[in-house]
Amino acid sequence: MAPLLEIKNLTCRRDEGSGSSIFHDLSLEVEEGEVLIITGRSGCGKTTLLKCVAELDVYQTGDILLRGKKATEYGIPTYRTLVQYVPQRPSLLPGTPLDFLRTIRSFRSRQARARSTRPSASDSHASEGDYGAVRGSESIDPLELAAEWGIEKTMWKREWGTLSGGEGQRIALAVAVGVGGAEVVLLDEPTSALDAATMKTVEKSLVSMLPPLKTQHSGRGGGVERKGTGPKALLWITHEAAQAERVGTRTVDLTRQ
Ligand SMILES: Nc1ncnc2c1ncn2[C@@H]1O[C@H](COP(=O)(O)OP(=O)(O)OP(=O)(O)O)[C@@H](O)[C@H]1O
């Protein structure tokens, strides 16, 4: 069976392909249940790699396969819902988090309708007011998840730019893992703006959403019970060795690639 995610011989160059290489001939496989830590010195290409995997950045050679299929076979917008990138600074997004959630829900709803003529679960909540109108059928409600991380509901109605770095990070994370359907979530230093206690709470809930690992890896992977309610795997950029040790099942150091 094809791996969950396969990166094959990926090469990415600076300046839209005309400059020097950021990484060259990089190959990786990610299986279900993994928290693959991406680390390495500043500027070595960690963010670029995640953006390439999300098909947001252009690479010059190589293939990225999700369950054996290229993004073009899924269609790029659908692929990006299956492989979701969570930016380091969501404060640069326009509008409010609630607008963002509505847009994603509406896209998912259209996708679901295209696949089936059955009414979507979000329709059945359409009379529940501002927040209920964007609720979906997933087992994780982003607003409730964010509330567990200390985010009050009213914050969802504020412009992204008015939220603190840590508030914006938690909301963006809750949307990425809470709005169902993402198979692989790409986390770009997801807890860099959080205090130590909140960081550990977020880490635990993220790892608990994964399915159990099929193969034993050297890392501890959080040592938390896995419920399999969220994405199938995480690619997680961090500069913190202690965090990598807590959550990671495997580490790739891009400095050495
Ligand atoms: N649009 C761009 N044009 C030219 N160079 C770019 C562009 N985007 C990124 N780079 C360069 O590519 C390299 C990799 O950048 P990237 O942001 O992926 O590094 P990183 O490992 O995530 O860094 P950090 O740890 O500092 O966040 C850097 O040298 C960066 O300056």
Side-chain angles (χ1 to χ4, degrees), residues 12-16 20-23 38-51 57 85 88-89 188-189 237-239 254-255:
C12 183
R13 298 179 179 282
R14 288 177 177 79
D15 304 316
E16 290 162 18
S20 56
S21 156
I22 299 174
F23 45 80
I38 313 285
T39 191
R41 65 173 165 68
S42 182
C44 70
K46 301 178 293 297
T47 297
T48 306
L49 174 62
L50 292 199
K51 287 186 173 173
D57 247 1
Y85 174 68
Q88 205 174 348
R89 282 184 286 275
D188 199 339
E189 298 189 52
I237 296 179
T238 182
H239 285 285
L254 275 195
T255 316

Side-chain angles (χ1 to χ4, degrees), residues 7-11 24-28 59-63:
I7 298 167
K8 287 168 84 171
N9 311 108
L10 204 67
T11 296
H24 175 73
D25 205 24
L26 177 72
S27 294
L28 277 175
Y59 43 93
Q60 282 69 54
T61 62
D63 286 312

Side-chain angles (χ1 to χ4, degrees), residues 18 25 27 66 80 97 116 121 134 173-174 195 230:
S18 60
D25 205 24
S27 294
L66 178 71
R80 286 193 189 137
S116 158
V134 292
L173 269 178
D195 61 84

Side-chain angles (χ1 to χ4, degrees), residues 94-104 134 156-157 159-160:
T96 70
L98 208 56
D99 297 335
F100 182 57
L101 189 53
R102 276 201 190 97
T103 306
I104 293 177
V134 292
W156 288 80
K157 287 184 167 186
E159 297 284 318
W160 282 101

Side-chain angles (χ1 to χ4, degrees), residues 225-248:
E225 188 196 347
R226 288 165 174 241
K227 300 184 190 121
T229 49
K232 302 285 186 288
L234 305 174
L235 272 63
W236 187 317
I237 296 179
T238 182
H239 285 285
E240 283 197 46
Q243 180 171 66
E245 171 69 18
R246 280 193 301 272
V247 303

